[in-house]
Each structure stands twice: as C-alpha cells, then as structure tokens.
Amino acid sequence: MDNGSPLLVIVDGANVVGSVPDGWWRDRRGAAARLRDRLAADGLPGRAGPVELVLVVEGAARGIDSVPGVRVVEAEGSGDDLVVALVAGATGRGCLVVTADRGLRRRVTELGAEVAGPRTVRPPR
C-alpha cells in the first residue's frame, strides 16, 4: 500500500490533547498550538523515514495555523468524520491515525489505516 509517498500521520487533536489532564480545557486553542509545535519539533518519535503530519482540530481549538512540518486541518463539524475522510482520501499510501477513541480506531482500520495511541506523540510527563 505504499506509493512512494511519505507515511501520512493524522493526529486526532482533541483526543491527544485531552489524554493528559494538564488544564487544556482552560485554553483549547493554546493546547492545540502546543501540540502542533511539539509535532513540528519532534515529528513522529521512533519512526524512521519521512512522514506527513496532519493535525485535525475542532471546536474551540480551531484557529491555529499550519507550521513547517505540520498541516493543521479544521473540522467544521465532527473531527472524527474529518479524520475518516482524510484516511479515505489517502488511497494507496500508508496512513497512521493517532487517537485513543475506540470508535474512530474501528472506522479507520476498516479503511486500512494503522492506529496508535496518544503517547506516540505525547509522552506522559
């Protein structure tokens, strides 16, 4: 399933941000921006080779810009539905979705994506 493109890594921003109770609920946009910046700095730890990082944000976390190395995509409605649509559009290329959401995991694996938990990109402190 590899067409020579870098691995597409889609990060469920709301789920990853919410995986650590560090006060993110007081500033959802700021928390999403910190995650974006961590992704830009660290990439996908433990994964050799190039990756394309996409951070899906929704609700109050919308309004942050993409930065070199991380494309931010805003969900107008459900972030989960946008993640599924991005996976469906990645035909013929490797795709990894970072989320702990069981329902989303099921939906994207049915489309051929791999899944990993939030600690993949946000280690516990």
Side-chain angles (χ1 to χ4, degrees), residues 37-94:
D37 294 346
R38 176 179 291 138
L39 292 168
D42 298 343
L44 187 62
R47 180 72 75 154
V51 298
E52 177 186 351
L53 285 164
V54 177
L55 174 62
V56 173
V57 296
E58 61 186 292
R62 291 186 315 215
I64 64 170
D65 294 326
S66 297
V67 297
V70 180
R71 179 169 50 107
V72 177
V73 181
E74 295 183 349
E76 292 300 319
S78 163
D80 289 2
D81 289 347
L82 178 55
V83 170
V84 171
L86 291 169
V87 170
T91 305
R93 90 185 268 201

